[in-house]
C-alpha cells in the first residue's frame, strides 16, 4: 500500500524514481478506507531530505499512510524556503485539536545546548505533552528521543568526549518485542551525535524497557509500556550518503572530524560508502506502523486518549 503525501511535495519525484509506491491527496480521496494519520515533526535543518527519508520508510508496508508535516513556529528555518514550509507544513496551532494514529519527532542539531536553551523548547514541550492524549504511538529519533526522555522521565543527557559517528553493530536484548520482530540478533544502524543517555538512568524507570544496544554507540531502542512512546537513539532513516554529507561538511569547514566508522570500505573516504542498515531500517518502521499503530489504534480516531 502507498504513503499518501501532499500534492506537489518534492519528495514525490525522488520516491517515484526509486519505485516507491506513493499516492497524492487527490488520488487518495477516491478510496473508501481510513488511512493511518501520521504526523512528522521535522526538526532537521535539511527538511526536504528528511521528509524524503521518512516518507520512503513509511511507504514500505501494506498500510495506507496519510502524512502530515509539522514544523515549529518559534524557529525560522534557515535551510528551507518559506514557500516550501507554507505549501507543505503545518504548525502546532493547525493540528492541536486533531488526533493522530502515530507521530515521529526527528532529531535536531542542537544537542550541545542545554534543553532549555533551545529556541523552540517550550513549544516542543507543549507538543510532547499533547502527544500523550492525542497520538496513539509516538516515535522519537536521536535528539528527539533524548529530549523526550528528559521531558517525560527526567533522564539527563551527557556530553561525549568524541562524537559517535558512523554505522555500528547492535544487539537485540529483548527478543520478544514486536518492534524488533524479524531482526537478526545483531544489526547495523547509523549514529551521529555528541551526547548520550545512560543505561542506568533508563533502568531506574520501571515503565521503560531497553530493547537493543551497542557496545560502541550505547542504548539504541527503548519503549514505554504498551508502546505509546518509542525512543530510537540512532538514525536508521539516513540515506546511503547522509553521513558522508555531514563528514564532508565538517571536513571542508576545517573542523576536527574522522571518517564515519564502519562506513567506507577499508575506511577509505575516496570509495563509495556501504549501506548496511537499509533492511533493518525498513523493518523497524514497518513493525512500528503495524504493531504499535495499526493493530492497536481505534478505528474512530477521535477516541484516542
Amino acid at each position: 500500500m502507498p504513503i499518501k503525501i501532499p500534492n506537489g511535495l518534492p519528495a514525490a519525484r525522488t520516491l517515484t524514481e526509486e519505485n516507491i509506491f506513493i499516492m497524492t491527496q487527490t488520488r487518495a480521496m477516491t478510496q473508501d478506507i481510513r488511512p493511518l494519520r501520521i504526523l512528522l515533526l521535522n526538526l532537521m535543518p535539511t527538511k526536504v531530505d528528511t521528509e524524503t527519508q521518512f516518507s520512503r520508510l513509511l511507504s514500505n508496508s501494506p498500510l495506507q499512510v496519510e502524512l502530515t508535516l509539522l514544523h515549529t513556529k518559534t524557529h525560522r528555518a534557515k535551510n528551507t524556503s518559506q514557500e516550501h514550509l507554507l505549501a507543505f507544513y503545518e504548525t502546532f496551532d493547525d493540528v492541536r485539536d486533531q488526533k493522530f494514529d502515530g507521530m515521529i519527532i526527528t532529531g535536531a542539531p542542537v544537542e550541545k545546548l542545554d534543553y532549555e536553551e533551545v529556541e523552540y523548547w517550550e513549544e516542543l514541550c507543549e507538543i510532547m505533552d499533547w502527544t500523550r492524549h492525542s497520538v496513539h504511538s509516538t516515535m522519537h529519533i536521536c535528539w528527539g528521543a533524548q529530549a523526550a526522555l528528559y521531558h517525560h522521565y527526567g533522564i539527563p543527557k551527557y556530553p561525549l568526549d568524541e562524537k559517535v559517528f558512523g554505522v555500528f553493530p547492535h544487539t537485540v536484548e529483548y527478543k520478544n518485542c514486536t518492534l524488533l520482530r524479524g531482526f537478526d540478533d545483531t544489526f547495523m544502524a547509523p549514529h551521529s551525535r555528541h551526547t548520550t543517555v545512560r543505561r542506568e538512568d533508563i533502568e531506574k524507570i520501571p515503565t521503560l524497557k531497553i530493547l537493543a544496544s551497542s557496545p560502541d554507540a550505547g542504548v539504541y531502542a527503548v519503549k514505554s509500556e504498551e508502546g505509546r512512546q518509542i525512543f530510537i537513539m540512532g538514525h536508521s532513516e539516513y540515506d546511503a550518503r547522509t553521513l558522508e554529507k555531514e563528514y564532508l561538511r565538517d571536513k571542508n569547514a576545517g573542523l576536527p572530524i574522522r571518517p564515519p566508522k564502519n562506513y567506507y570500505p577499508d575506511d577509505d573516504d575516496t570509495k563509495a560508502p556501504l549501506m548496511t542498515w537499509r533492511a533493518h531500517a525498513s523493518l523497524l518502521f514497518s513493525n512500528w506502523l503495524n504493531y504499535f499503530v495499526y493493530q492497536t489504534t481505534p478505528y474512530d480516531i477521535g477516541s484516542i486518549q
Side-chain angles (χ1 to χ4, degrees), residues 136-183:
H136 186 66
S137 181
T138 303
M139 179 183 284
H140 311 77
I141 307 294
C142 198
W143 180 83
Q146 294 183 357
L149 288 171
Y150 174 74
H151 177 67
H152 293 304
Y153 300 98
I155 294 174
K157 65 178 179 178
Y158 300 90
L160 294 167
D161 294 333
E162 183 178 357
K163 182 179 182 180
V164 174
F165 189 47
V167 187
F168 300 92
H170 299 72
T171 300
V172 175
E173 297 187 23
Y174 184 49
K175 296 184 179 181
N176 290 331
C177 179
T178 50
L179 184 68
L180 306 183
R181 178 171 287 175
F183 270 54

Side-chain angles (χ1 to χ4, degrees), residues 260 262-275:
N262 308 315
Y263 185 58
Y264 293 111
D266 305 317
D267 290 329
D268 184 352
D269 62 8
T270 65
K271 297 180 179 179
L274 296 174
M275 189 171 187

Side-chain angles (χ1 to χ4, degrees), residues 41-45 47 50 70 72 105-109 120 124 143-144:
L41 175 57
N42 192 349
L43 302 176
M44 294 292 281
K47 293 197 179 332
T50 301
L70 189 70
T72 55
I105 299 178
T106 74
Y120 48 80
L124 179 59
W143 180 83

Side-chain angles (χ1 to χ4, degrees), residues 4 10 54 89 97 108 113 126 147 157 166 169 181 188 190 204 213:
K4 175 184 170 186
F54 283 106
Y89 279 76
D97 295 327
L113 298 175
E126 185 179 8
K157 65 178 179 178
R181 178 171 287 175
M188 305 297 285
K204 292 176 183 177
S213 65

Side-chain angles (χ1 to χ4, degrees), residues 179-205:
L179 184 68
L180 306 183
R181 178 171 287 175
F183 270 54
D184 297 319
D185 290 342
T186 60
F187 63 95
M188 305 297 285
H191 289 261
S192 177
R193 51 187 167 81
H194 295 273
T195 57
T196 191
V197 292
R198 292 177 179 169
R199 168 182 289 271
E200 54 267 30
D201 292 333
I202 297 172
E203 291 176 336
K204 292 176 183 177
I205 310 298

Side-chain angles (χ1 to χ4, degrees), residues 46-247:
T46 53
K47 293 197 179 332
V48 174
D49 288 347
T50 301
E51 68 203 28
T52 302
Q53 291 165 2
F54 283 106
S55 294
R56 178 184 295 114
L57 290 168
L58 292 172
S59 71
N60 193 39
S61 83
L63 306 170
Q64 183 177 326
V65 173
E66 177 182 321
L67 184 64
T68 299
L69 302 174
L70 189 70
H71 74 102
T72 55
K73 70 177 183 179
T74 47
H75 172 72
R76 185 178 180 87
K78 299 177 181 178
N79 299 292
T80 305
S81 70
Q82 284 299 112
E83 291 78 11
H84 183 83
L85 295 177
L86 289 171
F88 302 115
Y89 279 76
E90 309 283 351
T91 65
F92 183 52
D93 288 339
D94 299 318
V95 303
R96 67 168 66 243
D97 295 327
Q98 302 178 38
K99 303 280 189 177
F100 290 86
D101 300 294
M103 181 175 183
I104 298 171
I105 299 178
T106 74
V110 294
E111 55 191 320
K112 291 185 178 181
L113 298 175
D114 290 339
Y115 292 117
E116 291 78 8
E117 294 177 341
V118 175
E119 183 179 11
Y120 48 80
W121 178 247
E122 289 187 6
E123 181 182 3
L124 179 59
C125 289
E126 185 179 8
I127 293 172
M128 290 190 291
D129 287 337
W130 170 84
T131 65
R132 299 177 75 105
H133 57 77
S134 294
V135 180
H136 186 66
S137 181
T138 303
M139 179 183 284
H140 311 77
I141 307 294
C142 198
W143 180 83
Q146 294 183 357
L149 288 171
Y150 174 74
H151 177 67
H152 293 304
Y153 300 98
I155 294 174
K157 65 178 179 178
Y158 300 90
L160 294 167
D161 294 333
E162 183 178 357
K163 182 179 182 180
V164 174
F165 189 47
V167 187
F168 300 92
H170 299 72
T171 300
V172 175
E173 297 187 23
Y174 184 49
K175 296 184 179 181
N176 290 331
C177 179
T178 50
L179 184 68
L180 306 183
R181 178 171 287 175
F183 270 54
D184 297 319
D185 290 342
T186 60
F187 63 95
M188 305 297 285
H191 289 261
S192 177
R193 51 187 167 81
H194 295 273
T195 57
T196 191
V197 292
R198 292 177 179 169
R199 168 182 289 271
E200 54 267 30
D201 292 333
I202 297 172
E203 291 176 336
K204 292 176 183 177
I205 310 298
T207 56
L208 295 179
K209 182 75 173 179
I210 297 174
L211 308 178
S213 65
S214 164
D216 298 312
V219 173
Y220 171 75
V222 179
K223 80 172 186 70
S224 67
E225 288 183 335
E226 300 181 355
R228 295 293 298 271
Q229 296 172 323
I230 304 291
F231 310 92
I232 304 297
M233 306 305 164
H235 281 289
S236 293
E237 80 280 4
Y238 271 8
D239 294 332
R241 297 280 184 174
T242 306
L243 287 174
E244 182 174 63
K245 290 179 181 177
E246 295 182 9
Y247 167 61

